[in-house]
Amino acid sequence: MSFSDLGLSSPLIQAIEAHKYVQPSPIQQRAIPAVLAGKDVLGIAQTGSGKTAGFVLPILQLLQSRKPAKGRSVKILVLVPTRELAIQIQDVIRAFGSRLPRQVRSLAVYGGVSINPQMIKMNGTDVLVATPGRLLDLVDNKAVQLSEVEMLVLDEADKMLNLGFKQEVDRIFGLLPQKRQNLLFSATVSGEVEALVSRLLSDPVTMRQEEETSVPDLIDQLAYAVEAARKGPLLRYLLQHEDMQQVLVFASSIRTADNIAGKLLKHGVQAAALHGDKSQGARTDALTKFKAGRLRVLVATDLASRGIDIQFLPHVINYELPRSPKDYVHRIGRTGRAASPGKAITFVTPEDAHHFKIIQKKMGKQVEMIQTDMLDLHGY
Ligand code: AMP
């Protein structure tokens, strides 16, 4: 199936070709026609499935036949849990929307930065991408009006609830008109997500990309058995010997993330930490540099990493094991995406061994384990 089979117009097809997307992903094959037909959509899909283009492309197409937005009443609202995701979605809208005959104006609003510029830019926004708290601040400041929303996209709904946004989201729903098109994307389906689905969606077109089976095939996985105290030297050894130039390292806490990045810097490796304690400016700066290849190592916590989308990220290292198998798959899903191969390395201490067995069992895949006791890490 090609993109032109999905009912997209030729300017959009050209934009897609410019992005070298050859074939729509399974989620896109189902979501694009459904959104164009005005249907509600439920996508059980994670980052890496192509879900963003799955809703952005049809939105851009629908907007082509609409008049430019005026005033502060938004018609298309995309709700997201994190600032990073908001920025990423806006980037996709801009990337595909920039060459269309009818210019599409999008705006990403999120907390942690001054509200005034966002208030000023709101006028005439076609697609508003927002985190819940900041959106409500803007509503309270009368900078935006939600009573005419025609389409609501709720992205990473599970994450939204996990981060404790339920109250904000409830309040936002109360401000929306009854009649509208709703799209909901979530990587997982908990009871809470199910409640949201039955509340929001009516007769949705449903698509599911199983997390556990979809990601690992693209990825070359390896584990290194290592004593906790030798993890830092092993990381630096691998960076050098495997010639890793763009590596996302996962840590389980803010403190460890800072420690790892700090030590790398001391050893002359360009590294930065990305976590919730960093200012928005520092987070954006680190991500931009990392994406541009000016930062060799980005050390992230699970929370901050969610939704990071970097094309062709070659290496992911689990410096510490994630708590759940799902998080493991999510982490390593950062690499080997969109058909480019990647390598995922996991450090496993003797204390982690049992937990790592459970992860492999859940994933249905055995990961090759390399012993490192004989490895001379002196000087790293
Ligand atoms: P997403 O799941 O929306 O975060 O997208 C994951 C990655 O896949 C992004 O880097 C997209 O640019 C890329 N992507 C999305 N759709 C396609 C496609 N049809 N062909 C190739 N790459 C794609």
Side-chain angles (χ1 to χ4, degrees):
M1 187 182 280
S2 70
F3 278 101
S4 39
D5 297 328
L6 300 176
L8 294 171
S9 62
S10 65
L12 263 173
I13 299 288
Q14 279 165 21
I16 292 166
E17 279 167 0
H19 278 80
K20 307 214 165 19
Y21 288 10
V22 180
Q23 238 201 330
S25 72
I27 293 287
Q28 291 162 356
Q29 290 180 19
R30 304 220 41 219
I32 292 171
V35 178
L36 288 176
K39 301 232 167 74
D40 279 4
V41 164
L42 169 62
I44 308 302
Q46 66 208 313
T47 313
S49 58
K51 66 182 165 66
T52 316
F55 62 82
V56 167
L57 293 171
I59 285 175
L60 291 173
Q61 165 126 343
L62 290 170
L63 281 170
Q64 293 306 298
S65 54
R66 306 255 180 107
K67 288 202 185 101
K70 276 201 195 127
R72 298 179 173 275
S73 194
V74 165
K75 301 276 186 345
I76 300 182
L77 174 64
V78 183
L79 266 188
V80 296
T82 63
R83 318 166 217 199
E84 280 78 14
L85 190 57
I87 293 170
Q88 246 170 241
I89 292 175
Q90 193 190 24
D91 285 348
V92 176
I93 297 173
R94 286 197 177 145
F96 286 106
S98 60
R99 300 184 200 182
L100 300 180
R102 141 86 155 90
Q103 285 288 308
V104 171
R105 289 197 52 193
S106 62
L107 181 66
V109 295
Y110 40 83
V113 293
S114 163
I115 195 168
N116 287 337
Q118 298 176 351
M119 290 170 62
I120 293 163
K121 285 188 202 142
M122 189 65 71
N123 232 342
T125 296
D126 290 303
V127 186
L128 181 64
V129 188
T131 54
R134 177 51 58 97
L135 179 62
L136 286 171
D137 289 344
L138 287 159
V139 167
D140 292 339
N141 277 290
K142 307 223 175 326
V144 63
Q145 220 198 324
L146 302 180
S147 59
E148 291 178 35
V149 168
E150 293 170 5
M151 187 194 291
L152 170 72
V153 182
L154 203 63
D155 198 10
E156 300 201 352
D158 49 350
K159 180 77 175 173
M160 195 98 75
L161 295 170
N162 288 344
L163 287 179
F165 281 132
K166 182 157 190 319
Q167 269 187 348
E168 283 91 341
V169 167
D170 279 345
R171 212 190 125 201
I172 291 166
F173 292 166
L175 299 170
L176 303 175
Q178 285 293 323
K179 196 173 157 316
R180 55 173 203 265
Q181 186 178 6
N182 296 290
L183 324 180
L184 188 150
F185 293 89
S186 184
T188 54
V189 189
S190 62
E192 268 187 315
V193 172
E194 268 172 18
L196 206 55
V197 167
S198 48
R199 184 165 157 211
L200 272 193
L201 305 182
S202 96
D203 194 20
V205 175
T206 303
M207 56 218 68
R208 183 182 292 267
Q209 185 176 40
E210 294 297 342
E211 198 164 20
E212 268 84 2
T213 54
S214 58
V215 180
D217 289 346
L218 284 167
I219 300 162
D220 192 10
Q221 295 185 58
L222 262 188
Y224 284 83
V226 59
E227 296 288 338
R230 278 163 53 93
K231 280 184 182 183
L234 178 61
L235 175 63
R236 295 186 287 273
Y237 172 91
L238 289 172
L239 286 173
Q240 189 173 328
H241 285 258
E242 302 269 317
D243 193 28
M244 299 179 177
Q245 293 306 328
Q246 198 186 28
V247 191
L248 180 60
V249 173
F250 280 101
S252 51
S253 72
I254 289 174
R255 233 178 67 189
T256 332
D258 279 337
N259 272 340
I260 299 170
K263 288 230 174 89
L264 286 171
L265 278 171
K266 265 196 197 145
H267 283 79
V269 179
Q270 282 306 314
L274 184 81
H275 54 63
D277 267 7
K278 294 268 174 188
S279 72
Q280 179 53 28
R283 287 159 80 170
T284 311
D285 188 50
L287 255 180
T288 310
K289 282 191 181 143
F290 187 59
K291 282 189 180 187
R294 281 183 282 130
L295 192 66
R296 192 167 167 200
V297 182
L298 189 65
V299 190
T301 55
D302 284 297
L303 207 87
S305 84
R306 185 84 187 212
I308 292 179
D309 169 34
I310 301 162
Q311 277 187 333
F312 314 129
L313 183 60
H315 298 284
V316 165
I317 296 182
N318 290 313
Y319 192 92
E320 291 169 304
L321 277 189
R323 242 160 278 147
S324 73
K326 237 175 233 144
D327 281 342
Y328 175 83
V329 173
H330 192 89
R331 284 181 179 187
I332 70 168
R334 314 278 109 193
T335 180
R337 309 171 64 198
S340 78
K343 197 167 192 176
I345 288 174
T346 302
F347 289 177
V348 183
T349 63
E351 298 75 39
D352 292 333
H354 179 67
H355 186 41
F356 191 56
K357 270 202 186 113
I358 296 175
I359 288 178
Q360 293 174 80
K361 201 167 159 206
K362 261 272 158 80
M363 190 168 58
K365 203 163 188 159
Q366 182 114 26
V367 178
E368 185 189 340
M369 176 86 74
I370 295 173
Q371 299 300 323
T372 62
D373 352 353
M374 304 301 280
L375 193 66
D376 183 6
L377 295 175
H378 208 77
Y380 289 97

